[in-house]
Amino acid sequence: MVGFFDSGVGGTCVLEAFRRLCPEEPTVYVADTENCPYGNKPPEEIVRLSKRIAADLIDRGCEVVVVACNTATAGAIDTLRATWPDVPFVGMEPAIKPAALGSKTGVVGVLATRGTFNGRLYRQTSSRVPGSVKIIEAVADEFVTLVEHGETAGSAVETAVRARLEPLIAAGADRIVLGCTHFPHLKPVMEKIVAGRAEIVDPSDAVARRVRDVLQVTRRAKHED
Ligand code: DGL
């Protein structure tokens, strides 16, 4: 069984991608809606909340735990791995590298929470992108609120999404990386607004493939024991 968690409904985009890939595999999903949003919480708080959920998923028999939240990955995955060294954890990583490689303008926009931008993982990944590529970061916490409220279409949503995307496009971005698992839920609106001027980079399918691979390796290793 594979366990997934997020601060709310965001991570269901990763869960759905995994289900498309491995429809027979049992899954369990925890949405910590009581404590959502995570994006502006201090790292100690993210660690405390993530440890509690991970412990619950491991207790329920999950063989792999997917931290389907960029903010929780940034703030807590190191601690989770150190706390449960025998449990494989798969986290979210903003897909800046593939976006940078695919960009023709050399300008990449990244949308994420403050917690993700402040994390070691993000700093490491963005520092590996060639200096010739310009990265523009934008915190879009209001998208989390919209998605949690089930507001993913309509004119108010379009106005909010346009306000974040137009400055990135005006600055030349032709790739916009979704660095928060709530954001793919707004992808149809984003694509309407962007109207072919930039590509929206959503890592959900790549993470789902990684989860499938990690699960296979884990089972093989247990079988050989
Ligand atoms: N879905 C989360 C992420 O990927 C967190 C959103 C939030 O709770 O602020 O970062």
Side-chain angles (χ1 to χ4, degrees):
M1 182 160 70
V2 182
F4 295 75
F5 77 91
D6 178 41
S7 62
V9 297
T12 56
C13 58
V14 185
L15 172 73
E16 279 158 21
F18 179 73
R19 279 192 180 151
R20 282 194 295 274
L21 207 59
C22 307
E24 306 295 325
E25 198 58 55
T27 53
V28 50
Y29 183 90
V30 174
D32 190 10
T33 45
E34 198 184 317
N35 294 296
C36 190
Y38 279 10
N40 46 19
K41 286 193 167 49
E44 317 80 69
E45 180 74 352
I46 306 282
V47 166
R48 189 181 66 79
L49 297 169
S50 301
K51 274 177 88 173
R52 201 176 59 181
I53 300 169
D56 174 43
L57 291 172
I58 293 163
D59 267 2
R60 292 203 225 177
C62 291
E63 302 154 83
V64 175
V65 174
V66 184
V67 186
C69 172
N70 293 74
T71 312
T73 302
I77 203 161
D78 292 344
T79 308
L80 297 178
R81 287 183 172 138
T83 309
W84 291 278
D86 297 334
V87 177
F89 288 90
V90 176
M92 303 299 302
E93 203 182 329
I96 313 174
K97 241 167 73 184
L101 284 173
S103 173
K104 291 180 185 68
T105 58
V107 183
V108 171
V110 186
L111 295 168
T113 65
R114 193 165 306 286
T116 296
F117 285 131
N118 287 342
R120 174 189 61 81
L121 251 173
Y122 178 80
R123 284 200 305 273
Q124 244 173 28
T125 312
S126 53
S127 71
R128 285 199 207 105
V129 168
S132 56
V133 176
K134 186 174 171 197
I135 298 175
I136 308 174
E137 297 163 5
V139 173
D141 289 341
E142 69 280 15
F143 289 4
V144 177
T145 314
L146 287 173
V147 172
E148 280 303 309
H149 291 162
E151 291 170 32
T152 55
S155 63
V157 175
E158 282 182 25
T159 305
V161 172
R162 191 181 299 281
R164 289 291 171 202
L165 296 193
E166 287 297 352
L168 299 177
I169 291 170
D174 66 347
R175 293 290 183 280
I176 296 174
V177 176
L178 305 185
C180 168
T181 53
H182 277 74
F183 301 171
H185 296 268
L186 295 170
K187 207 169 154 194
V189 178
M190 290 183 184
E191 273 168 349
K192 184 175 165 194
I193 287 164
V194 161
R197 293 176 293 165
E199 195 179 297
I200 309 292
V201 184
D202 170 10
S204 306
D205 287 323
V207 174
R209 287 193 295 274
R210 170 105 189 106
V211 176
R212 177 199 57 196
D213 296 349
V214 169
L215 187 62
Q216 279 170 0
V217 170
T218 307
R219 287 198 177 140
R220 221 173 290 142
K222 284 225 168 95
H223 198 71
E224 283 162 11
D225 270 357

